[in-house]
Amino acid sequence: MAVPTVDISAFTTSSISSSTLKRRDVADALIASLSANGCVGVTGHGLPPDLIYSAFSQMKKFFALPHDDKLQASASTSPGALPRGFTQAGIEHAGKSLEEKEGKAEQGAIASDYKETFDVGASSTSVDYPNVWPVEPVLPGFQSFMVDLYSQLDTLCHTILDTLILGMGLNDGERTTVKKLHRSLDNQLRLAHYLPFPQQILDSQELQWLASANEQHSSFTILFQDVHAGLEFQDRASGEFLPAPPKEGILYLNVGDMLERLSNGMLMLSKILGLSN
């Protein structure tokens, strides 16, 4: 069994028919696919392959920097602050939160995600949590590239939101309310570098936490992978996890808890595994 794929080019490409009927068919297909397991592969999204290749190239350059240089762009660790900039491995605990929610957490079990990340938000001066960047001489062009990437992904996310709104059959008032809840200022771009597990982790019980499934606290997330893969989504019927292999031209979309609420349970959030190779 594979993760289903939907072509949304009727919403992103002007060179093909974008009639109301065609868009309705695409929106219905997206909702139907997401209704099964809360995840879907998306093609026809309009992002050029060179942009995605460049994004992974820039990401690898950042994470290859000396640790002290990355720390110069550290995200705030203040309670409640949105991450902007670099977060080193061992700070976050996403997998454990789902185990706790399902009542499976053992007393005193505390494990950290074995990854390092870099988060980017809107570049507007009105945001509460401004971006933090490595200094330009350390990584020339990184900031300007990420600002442009954020803008293009933000546009795509609003297009996907419009597709979901159409598929859910919302009326004009409901559409306006949902759109107001999804401001560009609130979106977040995350670069994630999953680290290889050291042998002592592989030999310990902590590995079960590091490989735990997690859920997304958002409306939806769009996910890209490099050739190392590792992304999997849970099939609700069997409980097994389905691989979502990286393929050129495909991004993966998964439902978060906010969209589950907004859709009144029509779309249920997905459970995700991110495995390190």
Side-chain angles (χ1 to χ4, degrees):
M1 186 175 181
V3 176
T5 302
V6 174
D7 182 349
I8 66 167
S9 54
F11 287 85
T12 61
T13 308
S14 58
S15 60
I16 69 169
S17 172
S18 57
S19 66
T20 301
L21 182 59
K22 176 65 175 177
R23 290 191 170 196
R24 166 63 70 181
D25 289 344
V26 171
D28 288 347
L30 189 63
I31 294 297
S33 295
L34 289 172
S35 295
N37 292 313
C39 61
V40 66
V42 175
T43 63
H45 46 69
L47 299 175
D50 286 350
L51 177 70
I52 306 305
Y53 294 148
S54 296
F56 279 111
S57 176
Q58 290 285 346
M59 181 182 79
K60 290 173 182 176
K61 288 178 182 177
F62 175 79
F63 289 122
L65 291 173
H67 191 64
D68 286 347
D69 286 340
K70 289 184 286 189
L71 287 177
Q72 293 300 312
S74 289
S76 172
T77 56
S78 299
L82 294 178
R84 295 290 184 262
F86 175 64
T87 300
Q88 60 184 321
I91 301 298
E92 298 185 346
H93 312 273
K96 178 172 175 287
S97 64
L98 181 56
E99 298 290 334
E100 288 179 324
K101 177 182 175 181
E102 296 183 343
K104 298 177 182 178
E106 299 175 2
Q107 181 69 31
I110 299 175
S112 303
D113 283 356
Y114 216 66
K115 68 177 185 295
E116 53 183 1
T117 60
F118 188 91
D119 291 282
V120 179
S123 56
S124 170
T125 56
S126 63
V127 297
D128 294 328
Y129 304 101
N131 287 316
V132 181
W133 302 103
V135 294
E136 188 68 14
V138 169
L139 196 56
F142 179 79
Q143 178 176 343
S144 59
F145 178 86
M146 289 300 161
V147 168
D148 178 66
L149 178 63
Y150 181 96
S151 176
Q152 294 195 52
L153 293 176
D154 176 68
T155 298
L156 174 60
C157 284
H158 284 286
T159 298
I160 291 173
L161 181 63
D162 287 338
T163 309
L164 293 170
I165 287 172
L166 179 60
M168 289 188 291
L170 303 187
N171 61 38
D172 289 345
E174 292 167 336
R175 181 183 187 279
T176 298
T177 298
V178 170
K179 294 285 281 185
K180 285 182 178 179
L181 290 172
H182 294 82
R183 306 180 306 163
S184 295
L185 293 179
D186 298 325
N187 288 338
Q188 180 170 312
L189 165 63
R190 164 161 283 198
L191 314 178
H193 176 212
Y194 289 85
L195 302 171
F197 296 140
Q199 190 60 46
Q200 62 265 32
I201 294 295
L202 295 174
D203 293 339
S204 73
Q205 292 186 344
E206 188 177 2
L207 183 61
Q208 67 178 310
W209 295 102
L210 295 173
S212 296
N214 65 84
E215 300 168 342
Q216 301 297 305
H217 302 298
S218 61
S219 281
F220 60 86
T221 306
I222 56 175
L223 301 158
F224 301 86
Q225 305 173 86
D226 64 9
V227 296
H228 296 291
L231 178 63
E232 298 185 357
F233 296 100
Q234 188 177 48
D235 174 52
R236 291 196 186 96
S238 67
E240 299 296 319
F241 280 84
L242 309 175
K247 297 180 181 178
E248 184 173 307
I250 294 182
L251 63 81
Y252 290 96
L253 168 68
N254 72 284
V255 173
D257 56 358
M258 183 175 175
L259 185 55
E260 180 178 300
R261 293 187 180 96
L262 290 174
S263 68
N264 199 25
M266 177 190 298
L267 305 176
M268 296 180 65
L269 68 151
S270 60
K271 294 181 181 180
I272 309 171
L273 275 177
L275 302 178
S276 179
N277 292 321

